[in-house]
């Protein structure tokens, strides 16, 4: 069964570009495209999408307000925020509103496709360009003692977690560790399950708090 997606952006060329990108990918179906926050919430009520990919800056109702209204629906879609503006207020605002992912519109198209898929699986993906800022904002300043959960990770899973926490993408981790991106994805799924976490951002914060990475490791 295809993943049902709604895209929302007030710029028609961007909206159409996202629609074409997602529609061209097997297993993804764009069921509607909205031009503002009110439209995307109404379309979500009507079409019941699995995932909503929404811009932050939109007229009438901005993306942050739309995210909150989308997550109040039953069933609620997973929401990925997508924006041109690399601003902390958008990054933190979107994640605090409940978005499971945050990407820049300049992100690689493959990253956008990955974000939609992992959102549907109940996980989250944040653009590697902004992950370090997120860690600096939310991670504790001093490491906590290692916990029993870390001992359940294999050496390779620990390596993957360390690179993830340093802000590396799946492709970068794969290149560094000389494994396939698919294998990286499997490792991350197992890491999240073992540590009782939902998103790679939570995993990155966890790794920092438990001393697997330091601020010197961040770009």
């Amino acid at each position: 069964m295809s993943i049902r997606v709604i895209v929302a952006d007030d710029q028609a060329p961007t909206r159409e570009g996202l629609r074409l990108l997602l529609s061209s990918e097997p297993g993804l179906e764009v069921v509607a495209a909205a031009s503002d926050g009110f439209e995307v919430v109404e379309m979500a009520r009507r079409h019941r999408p699995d995932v909503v990919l929404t811009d932050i800056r939109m007229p009438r109702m901005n993306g942050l307000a739309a995210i909150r209204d989308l997550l109040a629906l039953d069933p609620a879609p997973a929401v990925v925020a997508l924006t041109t503006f690399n601003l902390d207020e958008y990054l933190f605002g979107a994640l605090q509103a409940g978005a499971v992912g945050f990407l820049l519109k300049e992100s690689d198209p493959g990253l956008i496709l990955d974000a939609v898929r992992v959102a549907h699986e109940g996980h989250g993906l944040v653009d590697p360009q902004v992950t370090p800022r997120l860690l600096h904002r939310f991670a504790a300043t001093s490491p906590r003692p290692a916990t029993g959960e870390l001992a359940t990770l294999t050496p390779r899973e620990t390596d993957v977690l360390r690179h993830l926490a340093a802000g590396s993408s799946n492709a970068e981790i794969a290149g560094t560790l000389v494994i396939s991106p698919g294998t990286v994805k499997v490792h991350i799924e197992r890491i999240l399950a073992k540590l009782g976490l939902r998103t790679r951002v939570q995993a990155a914060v966890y790794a920092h708090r438990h001393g697997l990475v330091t601020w010197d490791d961040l770009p």
Side-chain angles (χ1 to χ4, degrees):
M1 182 179 293
S2 295
I3 300 172
R4 295 165 53 81
V5 185
I6 289 179
V7 297
D9 195 290
D10 63 327
Q11 299 295 318
T14 301
R15 196 165 61 244
E16 180 63 12
L18 290 171
R19 189 189 68 78
L20 290 173
L21 170 67
L22 297 171
S23 297
S24 66
E25 190 68 11
L28 301 183
E29 177 189 2
V30 177
V31 296
S35 61
D36 61 49
F38 280 114
E39 275 192 8
V40 71
V41 174
E42 180 55 36
M43 288 178 175
R45 286 196 183 98
R46 188 183 318 151
H47 295 284
R48 296 176 177 265
D50 301 304
V51 179
V52 172
L53 184 63
T54 182
D55 190 14
I56 298 297
R57 278 186 70 170
M58 294 188 294
R60 295 209 297 163
M61 178 192 289
N62 65 35
L64 299 182
I67 291 169
R68 289 188 285 269
D69 284 359
L70 287 166
L71 294 179
L73 298 178
D74 185 17
V79 181
V80 177
L82 184 67
T83 182
T84 303
F85 301 94
N86 189 357
L87 300 175
D88 284 358
E89 63 186 280
Y90 289 167
L91 168 61
F92 303 130
L95 297 177
Q96 289 169 345
V100 297
F102 183 93
L103 301 177
L104 302 176
K105 291 183 184 178
E106 65 188 41
S107 297
D108 183 88
L111 191 64
I112 295 174
L113 296 172
D114 285 346
V116 170
R117 291 194 183 94
V118 300
H120 179 57
E121 294 168 359
H123 304 305
L125 191 156
V126 173
D127 195 306
Q129 295 181 69
V130 300
T131 299
R133 298 209 321 268
L134 189 66
L135 294 177
H136 280 285
R137 173 72 174 265
F138 290 121
T141 56
S142 57
R144 297 177 180 176
T147 63
E149 290 88 351
L150 278 177
T152 68
L153 301 184
T154 66
R156 179 45 60 90
E157 288 168 351
T158 302
D159 286 341
V160 170
L161 177 57
R162 186 176 286 113
H163 285 287
L164 180 157
S168 297
S169 66
N170 283 14
E172 290 169 337
I173 295 172
T176 300
L177 299 180
V178 196
I179 55 179
S180 72
T183 300
V184 173
K185 180 180 177 182
V186 170
H187 282 313
I188 292 174
E189 289 174 350
R190 290 174 177 167
I191 290 166
L192 295 176
K194 288 181 178 181
L195 299 182
L197 305 173
R198 289 192 58 211
T199 73
R200 61 191 293 133
V201 175
Q202 291 175 341
V205 171
Y206 184 101
H208 173 75
R209 285 179 170 172
H210 293 87
L212 289 185
V213 290
T214 67
W215 299 128
D216 292 337
D217 297 317
L218 300 178

